Amino acid sequence: MAIANNIAPSIARLAAAAALVLAAGCGGSGGDDASLAQATAAKRQNTPLAFKAPASVTITDDAIVKENAPTTNFNGNGEFGSDGGTGVRVKSFIKFTVSGVPAGSPVYSALLKLTCFNPTDNGPGIRAVSNSWTEAAVTFNTSPAETSTSDTDNLGEVPIGPAGYVKIALNLMPAVTGNGTFSFQMAQNSTDGFTCYDTEHATVSNRPVVEVHYSDGPSPAGASGSSDLDTVCAGSACSAYVMNSAETWTTFAGYMTPVGTPIHFNTIVGDLAEKTGIAVVAAPVANLVNWVRGMTWNAAEASTTISATNRWVPQGLAVPGELSTTAGIVMVGWYDKYAYGTAAVGDALGSSITIANTNSLDYRRILLVEPTGSGTFKKINAHSGGLARFGNYLYLEDDDDEENGTQRQQTRVFDLTKFYQVSQSCGVAIGRIGSAAPYTWCGGGFKYVLPQVNVYVWPKNASGIPGTLSNGHKVMRHLEYSEDRSQLTQALVFAEYGSTGNSKTTDDCDWDPGNAGLTQANCRIARFPVGVNGRLTVNAGNQAVARKVYMMRTAGVQGLAAACGGPVTGGDCDTYLLNASSSLVKAGLSGPSNSWSSSAGTWTSGNEGFALDRSGTAPILWNDTEGAQSGGTGRGIFGVSANF
């Protein structure tokens, strides 16, 4: 059955130039030689590619086949699913055509969105197959040949929400390259089958949808400056930049089993009406570049005054991407500052994330916890300065203990399909309450907790404090995270903060004695490859190794976003937007940098996290603020069209 996804590809440009795709938050990317050449040329010119509207997509065929009925065609079966096991394998296929992508415009995002009603503890993978099949004739014995040996995406556990279904999205990049016809197979090794609705389902909103986005065009000018990045190392030369993975994925998930049934992110999104923010319609500064819209937190939390009733400070920001079925959702990391550095150590509630709907303005805070044993967990005192999401996983910066100041330099990971509801009748108690069953689980007064599933840790010295790398440099004191999906290998990107201004610092950044004449901050950016499962790629020793490291001359960086519109030669985006406290800098290895600043009235102040949201019909680059924004607006979130 053919289904057209007729989102008009001619949506007007949002700003003076077309809105740009930034790599932060983009689904993986790929393209033909022409697309690659255009993206490479844009990289050399330090000019990202402009964001365009979705392409037109028509689903022409979908089918399910079963090994135990190898010659049967199941056209009209009503299901799209998979299963594993000897002699009982189940596979599904989908075919669609893409049109409306201009010649030379690279595709940067392609997603298959499904509504599924049968949960699985180990979901399927999806990969490209040939187009030599039709839904009316295909059987298990006539399954189309795979055209790739790698999955474009692979699901882990997929729980089902209280409504009896869950909305998911599968990445199809880099197999979708532009206009044409494409086919994919969904299959799994696990014997815990997975079932979704097909294109014949009576409810239109439950049918499969394929969304494809592309990009091209110029970017507006800012204040010109010198090149801001230098390469420290690339490839095997970065072997000293390693983080050790604790590999607690299964153990920590098992610890939470007694607490209850895990809850999917999309179910939480349906329950955000804990608090309501305030819409910001006008830009906080008159000439703020590419302004779209914004919101502040409610009247109390928009204030920067810290108290027992307003103890939380916002930091990093990320978007759920294809994990969410609702447009305009953002996640913000917070830490409890009320007890920090005071005699009240021990009273802090730790770290949390806020999930906010920037359209309805509703938001809810979720407490972050670390499992400690079967049915037990504790608070996390992380700075939360950086957030990034890959697949089901949320990555959180944990530079130091915000309750006692101890440096840690580590990255915590949380599974966004495994929230847990806890009692709100325990005051500020956190963890398991009671000396014997039946126990009560508490989250400091919050309705939900989100438990850690893994951690990546930089090398430490004999005292357990972050020390030096094997090359003699200090480990990175990363405070800002970003996700780069513009390249064929997606990457988690870290940046160090440094001090304010452009002065050197020996505190937050790696001061290199070999660069004694350097007058700018000696802070680094590092790229770590991420697999299709959403986890950092590790070697046989369970170490994540950096793919590329840069030295940057901008200090006081609070957020960053990779700014390449498509894959580039070498596989690493070398152009970044650096979100400093009162300015925005576009920096690269060559060519002039551009900048926008609060002093020039083109950017705001008090900035923190940075992420690209492509869930709507046009992209928004979201930024959250720790302090009051320029123009007197309280702290909150503001969005600009991604056109830099």
Side-chain angles (χ1 to χ4, degrees), residues 425-442:
S425 303
C426 319
V428 296
I430 299 171
R432 188 178 69 185
I433 305 300
S435 57
Y439 300 109
T440 299
W441 284 275
C442 307

Side-chain angles (χ1 to χ4, degrees), residues 76-122:
N77 174 268
E79 296 181 350
F80 189 90
S82 60
D83 203 352
T86 303
V88 293
R89 287 178 295 164
V90 175
K91 300 185 292 184
S92 288
F93 304 100
I94 192 163
K95 184 191 297 184
F96 56 90
T97 58
V98 179
S99 60
V101 179
S105 295
V107 171
Y108 72 87
S109 173
L111 299 172
L112 169 61
K113 296 187 174 183
L114 301 171
T115 302
C116 306
F117 57 89
N118 181 33
T120 178
D121 60 11
N122 187 4

Side-chain angles (χ1 to χ4, degrees), residues 323-337:
L323 183 66
S324 176
T325 56
T326 302
I329 303 297
V330 301
M331 300 175 287
V332 175
W334 303 65
Y335 74 93
D336 183 347
K337 194 174 183 178

Side-chain angles (χ1 to χ4, degrees), residues 241-265:
Y241 286 85
V242 300
M243 295 187 296
N244 298 303
S245 174
E247 294 297 297
T248 54
W249 309 95
T250 301
T251 302
F252 275 17
Y255 283 166
M256 296 300 292
T257 299
V259 181
T261 302
I263 301 170
H264 195 278
F265 180 86

Side-chain angles (χ1 to χ4, degrees), residues 287-437:
N287 298 314
L288 181 63
V289 64
N290 299 342
W291 168 258
V292 176
R293 59 187 170 89
M295 64 175 282
T296 65
W297 310 110
N298 65 20
E301 294 183 337
S303 169
T304 59
T305 302
I306 300 299
S307 67
T309 56
N310 187 38
R311 58 202 305 154
W312 298 96
V313 176
Q315 294 292 306
L317 181 147
V319 295
E322 72 276 7
L323 183 66
S324 176
T325 56
T326 302
I329 303 297
V330 301
M331 300 175 287
V332 175
W334 303 65
Y335 74 93
D336 183 347
K337 194 174 183 178
Y338 178 59
Y340 178 58
T342 73
V345 170
D347 291 343
L349 294 178
S351 304
S352 63
I353 61 167
T354 289
I355 302 176
N357 186 324
T358 59
N359 291 309
S360 71
L361 308 180
D362 292 334
Y363 66 96
R364 177 178 291 280
R365 179 165 289 116
I366 312 291
L367 189 70
L368 301 177
V369 298
E370 178 184 344
T372 55
S374 180
T376 61
F377 53 83
K378 63 181 181 180
K379 65 183 179 182
I380 291 173
N381 294 314
H383 183 70
S384 308
L387 290 180
R389 183 214 53 95
F390 292 94
N392 294 341
Y393 298 117
L394 179 69
Y395 288 74
L396 176 93
E397 171 269 326
D398 184 7
D399 170 66
D400 57 22
D401 188 319
E402 285 296 345
E403 195 163 13
N404 60 35
T406 302
Q407 288 192 26
R408 286 197 286 239
Q409 266 91 310
Q410 60 188 20
T411 300
R412 297 179 186 262
V413 188
F414 303 82
D415 187 338
L416 292 171
T417 67
K418 294 182 179 179
F419 293 79
Y420 292 85
Q421 185 170 345
V422 293
S423 173
Q424 294 181 273
S425 303
C426 319
V428 296
I430 299 171
R432 188 178 69 185
I433 305 300
S435 57

